Amino acid sequence: MKAILKYLLTIWLTVLCVSVKAQQKDSLPVGNVSGITFDSTHNYVLKNASITIYNIRNELLAYGLSNAEGAFSLPKLPLGQNFKLVISYLGYATWTKTLRLDTENPISDLHYVNLLPENTALSEIVVTAPPPVRMNGDTLEFNAGAFTLDKNAVAEELLIRLPGVVVWSDGAITVNGKTVSRVLVDGKPFFGNEAAIATQNIPKNAIEKIQVYQKTRKEEQVNPHDSIPEINIQLKDDMHEGHFGELSAGYGSRKTYEGSMNINFFSPRNQWGLFSIANNVNKTAGGITDLLLNSAFKSLKGDIDNQPDFGKGGLNQSLGAGVFYHHDFKHDGRGPAYLPAEIGADYFLKRDKNNHLTDISSLTSLGPDSAILQKSNVTVKDNQINQQLDIHQIELLAKKNVELAIKPSLAYTTYDNVTSSHASSFSTKTGLQSMSSVESESHARNTHLAVNARYSHDLDNNTSLSMAYSIDYNRDESNRYSKSIFTSFAKASDNQHVERKSLNTKSDVRHRMDAAWGNIAPLLFGRGNFLSTVHIDVENALEYSSQVADNSALDNDTAAKNFIHDPYLTYRSRYRVVNENPAIKFSRTFERTRADKYTKSLSVFLNLQEQIYLQQNTSSHTFQQFNRNYQRFVPSVSLSYVNEQISRFSNSYHLAFKRSFEYATVDMLYPIVDSTNFYYLTEGNPDLAPAETKELNFRYSHNSNRIEYGLVVTAITTDNFFAGSSYINENGTTITKNINLDGRRSIELRGEVQKPLKLKNGDQLQFVEELSFIRSHSPNYLVRNDEQQDVMNVSYASQLKNKISIYFIHLDKLAINLSQNASYYLSRQRGLNDARISSYEYNTSLSGGYTPTKRFTISSNVTSNMVVSSAAEQVIFTIWNLSAAYRLLPGNNLELKFSALDLLGQNRSINNYGNNYVLTQESHNVLKQYFMLTLTYFPRKFGR
């Protein structure tokens, strides 16, 4: 804990020093220009007039908009130089004035600035240059041409210079404290929904303007006035088609290699791309989106994040290829009526090979003088081939009041696996208890099909109908051969030697149907009364799942010298569940609004919901057959208050309560137990009752362009929860049966603070802290072999996680990210003689990218790690990566990079996790030090 406090104090002091320094810079003598834009002809003020200041070289110094009263103020202007003030408003002639501020007269109040309608204005005061910012209806537009940047700058470098816009170190974009939901290009997604694909590839010189507007999604909001910002990048007229991408190849020491290719083409109608990847340095791609994000032409963070995953266990080889295609049938408003507006798909094929060595140390604490330590080492060789086809959402109907859409996907995966494991169990009282070894080889395949469809219709009577249907189909087939040996040093009769062949097939189909009839209050109560203003929805959610398992096991009969069926592990079963939830929902929003000033709203939400839950299992084992029917009332209620001060800040408060139930599964009631799981066995309990959970949740958030912070508090109590009643025998084997116990409680606190500082010349400093704390109270039973009696135990577990990061950007020259992660786990037992287990993990990371010239970049990241656990010895290691890259050709399209990875040769992969009185530490083999030379070409052309 002292170490945590030391690291937190260090970073807090760093933030304080930087903040003070920034404030000192801001305290230097500066000037201010203010006034009120006015139309004297019609005697009213002009809000959202564009105010711009240029220096004598016609370079942009400051800009803004007049407020609802027509007032404007541009602070922090340099003293001792002449500059030009330009004011423009749609339908009015542009107004200009030359000003000079100095130490004697640092403030210039122009009072009323009278703008003349265009038809009465004098020609000599007309200026044709468009302003850097203007309001176009409800859309805020930034003119890209007003900002002077490097010729190879990208959209991201333009965004960080816009007032109120913050590009965070994790890629998220906020506008005045609100997270941007989407970044579009010419009104459409650009190769998917990740903003960085557009902002880090589209050149600034191809952009006409950046549009910021509010998008209301009423189906996602309790308060219909809630809105979220979107950004649209509008390209210049001759820039609506082009291509971009990356071709990269590298080879290094220890026979390391990496290569990737993506080439993407776009036009008003089409977007398509080709992709491939091959490496053995832990750069795995989940799909086409990952490849696009990792191959950006230019990022403010430089090469900080595009590094191999040194924390990934095992030695991994990845090989993949894919294609992306999207077509717009009606981009110009025309097209056959029978065709959907758009259609598209992406397909990705990849093969991952993994050679994984894992050492596991598990400590089971039975009291201050008694514990069981189990150690195992596992060697796994995997070969996995996956094919994934995703059809982009197809809008079959997209009219004003009617929407019909469908989205299918298909995946097929094959697995080949060879595993060798050796384990032992040691008691602090009796010594070595047992040893085991398992050698296995398996072949498996999985087929996954998913289809999602939705329909909505706004009816003429102001009600709405909506329906959604989804089907999810999974089929798993596996063929496994294994040799398992168990040796007991306490009881020779427990020794086992099993040679087994097994064939398992499982098919799982899940259907879900949601239907809702919304806003029916006026139909029930008429109009013009209070009841008609209550929003009432009638809904029903129906889920049906069917899981069919067909398992066959053959054991080697050494006497008969052949394999014979194991009658217990050979069986066929079908498990079906019906889960229906009819509900009636009431909501009401009370609102006070003052135009362009504030909106205050109070929303009340009540959900009266019934749950009907049916279970049926049929099996060739008669003891597994059962039918269970449940009906429970599962209401929820919430209260929300939002105070939004327009263009200043927004505070929101949300309090919610809900009740839910969890139902026992087949494996909890009537499990099939494989005795070759030597150290962990289960017993069934057919008397299990549903577990009832009550949850109270409070959320608070503050959003502004100065700071964002929030707090979430969740309190949960569970009665009849599924607790473990465990027995540890003389071999160290834990045999667990689920039982119902009352008294499980937990409270979770999560907080987050984000503070952006925009300094001079576009520099940015960001501070982010994420904190979570969980405290739980979990009763359970444990039977210790040496006492042969039940011990009622209560586990008091505390888990603390804290992440602090500081991110600094100096234009396109320097990016630095300093972060500290700390996690702490402590579990105290009441009943096991106050036994205690704990683990601590800390890592401090410093990453940076420096570009001293427009072509040369140096990147480095250093991560120091410390792991302390009751289950193993303390581990300390540091990972240092370094790279240097040089760009060639006029457009910086060719890059030569040298990388030195894990320079200190200390890389480790350690994982800790705990559960009540058991603490486990895993250690994995990892990628080690290597050096690599990489050549990358960025083919790119925007415009015809």
Side-chain angles (χ1 to χ4, degrees), residues 179-184 187 189 193 195 213 215 217 229-232:
T179 301
V180 173
S181 59
R182 295 190 301 173
V183 174
L184 307 177
N193 294 316
Y213 51 90
K215 184 76 172 180
R217 294 185 175 181
E230 284 190 353
I231 290 178
N232 180 56

Side-chain angles (χ1 to χ4, degrees), residues 355-518:
N355 190 348
H356 198 166
L357 309 177
T358 306
D359 291 322
I360 305 173
S361 179
S362 182
L363 178 69
T364 301
S365 180
L366 305 178
D369 61 343
S370 179
I372 292 177
L373 180 63
Q374 294 179 337
K375 293 189 175 184
S376 61
N377 57 77
V378 183
T379 302
V380 178
K381 294 183 178 180
D382 269 329
N383 183 20
Q384 176 180 321
I385 300 175
N386 172 261
Q387 301 180 68
Q388 177 77 37
L389 174 65
D390 289 310
I391 307 296
H392 304 164
Q393 182 166 289
I394 303 172
E395 303 282 351
L396 299 175
L397 285 175
K399 299 180 181 179
K400 182 179 180 180
N401 297 324
V402 182
E403 291 184 0
L404 176 62
I406 185 171
K407 188 180 186 305
S409 64
L410 176 65
Y412 179 75
T413 307
T414 61
Y415 307 85
D416 294 306
N417 174 282
V418 177
T419 299
S420 174
S421 67
H422 302 272
S424 64
S425 181
F426 180 87
S427 169
T428 57
K429 284 193 172 183
T430 61
L432 184 63
Q433 298 173 299
S434 60
M435 298 178 66
S436 70
S437 67
V438 178
E439 307 286 338
S440 68
E441 181 177 344
S442 62
H443 308 277
R445 57 185 177 183
N446 168 266
T447 303
H448 177 224
L449 171 67
V451 179
N452 295 277
R454 61 177 176 84
Y455 167 80
S456 64
H457 188 182
D458 293 333
L459 303 177
D460 294 336
N461 58 9
N462 292 323
T463 66
S464 62
L465 290 176
S466 63
M467 297 184 67
Y469 170 75
S470 65
I471 180 173
D472 195 289
Y473 170 77
N474 259 299
R475 180 178 175 83
D476 291 293
E477 301 173 72
S478 65
N479 188 344
R480 184 173 183 263
Y481 169 80
S482 64
K483 285 184 178 180
S484 306
I485 301 173
F486 182 81
T487 303
S488 171
F489 297 98
K491 192 176 179 181
S493 59
D494 288 341
N495 293 347
Q496 295 187 61
H497 187 169
V498 181
E499 185 177 3
R500 176 173 294 160
K501 295 179 181 178
S502 58
L503 178 63
N504 302 310
T505 303
K506 182 174 72 173
S507 297
D508 189 354
V509 182
R510 299 176 183 270
H511 304 264
R512 181 181 173 98
M513 172 81 73
D514 293 274
W517 187 15

Side-chain angles (χ1 to χ4, degrees), residues 25-34 53 61-62 72-81 83 99-109 760:
K25 288 184 178 180
D26 292 341
S27 65
L28 295 176
V30 290
N32 181 283
V33 172
S34 61
I53 291 182
L61 288 182
F72 65 88
S73 177
L74 296 181
K76 300 181 181 180
L77 297 175
L79 302 181
Q81 60 177 274
F83 55 84
L99 298 172
R100 181 182 179 87
L101 302 177
D102 52 38
T103 54
E104 295 183 358
N105 298 290
I107 298 176
S108 176
D109 186 353
K760 291 185 177 181

Side-chain angles (χ1 to χ4, degrees), residues 720-731:
N720 277 339
F721 91 101
F722 304 134
S725 178
S726 301
Y727 165 65
I728 302 177
N729 67 17
E730 63 272 18
N731 299 319

